[in-house]
Amino acid sequence: MMNEDSIIAKRPLGELIAEHLKQDIYNQKVKFGERLIEADLAENFDVSRSTIREALKILEQEELVTSKARKGTFVSEFTERDLDEMNELRLMIEAKAFVKALKNLEEPHYQDLQSIIDEMKEEAENGNWNALFDLDMQFHQYVVNMCGNSRIIKIYESISVQIRVYLAHLDQYYSSPVSFYREHKELMEALLHKDTVSVERKIKNHISFVEEKLVRKTDSE
Amino acid sequence: MMNEDSIIAKRPLGELIAEHLKQDIYNQKVKFGERLIEADLAENFDVSRSTIREALKILEQEELVTSKARKGTFVSEFTERDLDEMNELRLMIEAKAFVKALKNLEEPHYQDLQSIIDEMKEEAENGNWNALFDLDMQFHQYVVNMCGNSRIIKIYESISVQIRVYLAHLDQYYSSPVSFYREHKELMEALLHKDTVSVERKIKNHISFVEEKLVRKTDSE
DNA sequence: GGAATTAAAATTGTCGACAATCGACATAGG
DNA sequence: CCTATGTCGATTGTCGACAATTTTAATTCC
């Protein structure tokens, strides 16, 4: 009668470790290009190498690490070129997903989104970039999840994690947290009006904002 | 002095087995929904279960199998709904990739493509659907590979394998092999003319051809 | 001193065994 | 008869050990 996944779902160890490692990557406890040695990880996490291998396979799937046969697995290095690729892909997917999501967004969803936006405002005022990025991810993923295409959702998940990691590793951002927040506020309004054209334009703006304003030092400032 | 990957690169066993299993799925030696039991596979392939596990993780990555913790791994079941999702994604990606590829396609590439087309013609006349599908995959993947975005390439690889599997499992096709071939010939001509607009339209047509003409029995026949 | 060889250490690939869990059946109790 | 509980076999999760390979260090030879 109370057999169902008792609060803490009993997931395989490998998955838990994979998540832990992902956090470590977010927090730069392991850096780009760093080699991950199975035996060491096994000792640190106090599990067998088989389990570590499973965890690494999961991370590899999300492209957070890359492994070459018999050469080892390394934390993926994201260059600016990679960011370009990611953004191109992201733009394509997100533009489509958002428009499709419009058909499915109902009142309760808008409330959820609004509360994310509200949190963003707070974190923006505190200048807390890391929290801001997490909320950003939540916001976009939430909308994409409403698009109705499970494959699009899955791909977006993967790509957004990568972008998240990329941003986390930057040591400086060339824009203010508040304008980052304002971006989302405008996007939210376009969603509320169910204005397809406007939504597409805003998405496009938003992504180029990340690329050009946030990451690169532009002259026009 | 001749140590470099001697012709046959020494890849991990798990990868080889994953490929073998993929072929088995193509050829319907294993069917949709079928459960894959690690111990049995280990015995059949005469390797340890660890190796089988690795192979299954690879297939899971390509979404050809699905595995639930402690429940086992099953060959993915693709419904018509899945085909819809796949095509939507494919359309999005391929339209973008082809247009981008136009910038990079040179004479030798066109020759490669033409030879694929020529083979298609032959197989079409023999009514050999399976070979035709393989060539179809080759053709599209070849062009997509020229788009210059490694992430787009990777995603397309995954999605096209899935579509390939879906088509392989159909027991009947509602169109002629020759018209399937002709589709590609037209696409090829659009590529040769580097006519962006035409390429986009042709891609769109081609994908809806697969969905509506090849798979579904339409009345307009 | 430096390039080529060889030896040693570190690391990944593969294996077989045991533990934990699941599913089906049998059995007991109402 | 139906439901709950216990048991057993089948299957997956995890482990530690050995084999194969790569990387590093040491040695030899020019």
Side-chain angles (χ1 to χ4, degrees), chain B residues 65-86:
Chain B
V65 305
T66 308
S67 93
K68 295 263 186 197
R70 290 182 187 74
K71 295 295 174 61
T73 87
F74 302 80
V75 179
S76 299
E77 302 199 55
F78 295 126
T79 65
E80 245 183 56
R81 150 98 197 227
D82 285 302
L83 184 62
D84 288 341
E85 284 198 359
M86 294 189 254

Side-chain angles (χ1 to χ4, degrees), chain A residues 10 35-39 49 53 69-70 72:
Chain A
K10 196 151 209 173
R35 182 176 187 181
L36 298 177
I37 291 164
E38 298 174 357
R49 262 185 60 225
R53 266 168 156 266
R70 291 181 185 75

Side-chain angles (χ1 to χ4, degrees), chain B residues 8-156:
Chain B
I8 298 174
K10 194 150 209 174
R11 291 191 302 153
L13 265 179
E15 287 184 21
L16 300 180
I17 291 175
E19 271 179 33
H20 198 296
L21 279 174
K22 195 192 294 191
Q23 287 299 325
D24 285 352
I25 295 178
Y26 282 176
N27 302 332
Q28 307 189 53
K29 290 185 182 163
V30 294
K31 304 247 167 55
F32 285 174
E34 184 174 331
R35 182 177 188 180
L36 298 177
I37 290 162
E38 297 175 358
D40 293 352
L41 294 175
E43 182 157 15
N44 287 342
F45 286 104
D46 197 36
V47 295
S48 85
R49 263 185 59 224
S50 319
T51 305
I52 295 296
R53 265 167 158 267
E54 191 189 334
L56 291 181
K57 264 272 164 17
I58 292 171
L59 293 185
E60 196 183 348
Q61 187 170 333
E62 303 185 22
E63 302 193 65
L64 294 186
V65 305
T66 308
S67 93
K68 295 263 186 197
R70 290 182 187 74
K71 295 295 174 61
T73 87
F74 302 80
V75 179
S76 299
E77 302 199 55
F78 295 126
T79 65
E80 245 183 56
R81 150 98 197 227
D82 285 302
L83 184 62
D84 288 341
E85 284 198 359
M86 294 189 254
N87 274 332
E88 181 171 65
L89 189 55
R90 179 185 178 185
L91 183 57
M92 199 162 70
I93 289 178
E94 210 163 326
K96 180 82 175 185
F98 267 63
V99 170
K100 277 177 64 81
L102 279 183
K103 295 193 203 74
N104 306 319
L105 283 171
E106 310 277 353
E107 183 49 30
H109 307 126
Y110 284 117
Q111 287 178 13
D112 291 342
L113 287 171
Q114 186 57 53
S115 74
I116 295 177
I117 296 275
D118 290 343
E119 283 187 67
M120 285 188 88
K121 180 171 185 178
E122 197 163 337
E123 299 294 356
E125 283 162 357
N126 295 337
N128 188 349
W129 277 112
N130 243 18
L132 215 44
F133 289 149
D134 282 334
L135 290 166
D136 170 70
M137 258 182 83
Q138 271 182 255
F139 182 87
H140 288 265
Q141 188 75 54
Y142 190 106
V143 180
V144 171
N145 283 349
M146 299 298 298
C147 82
N149 184 321
S150 69
R151 285 167 173 80
I152 288 181
I153 292 172
K154 195 155 193 175
I155 290 173
Y156 186 77

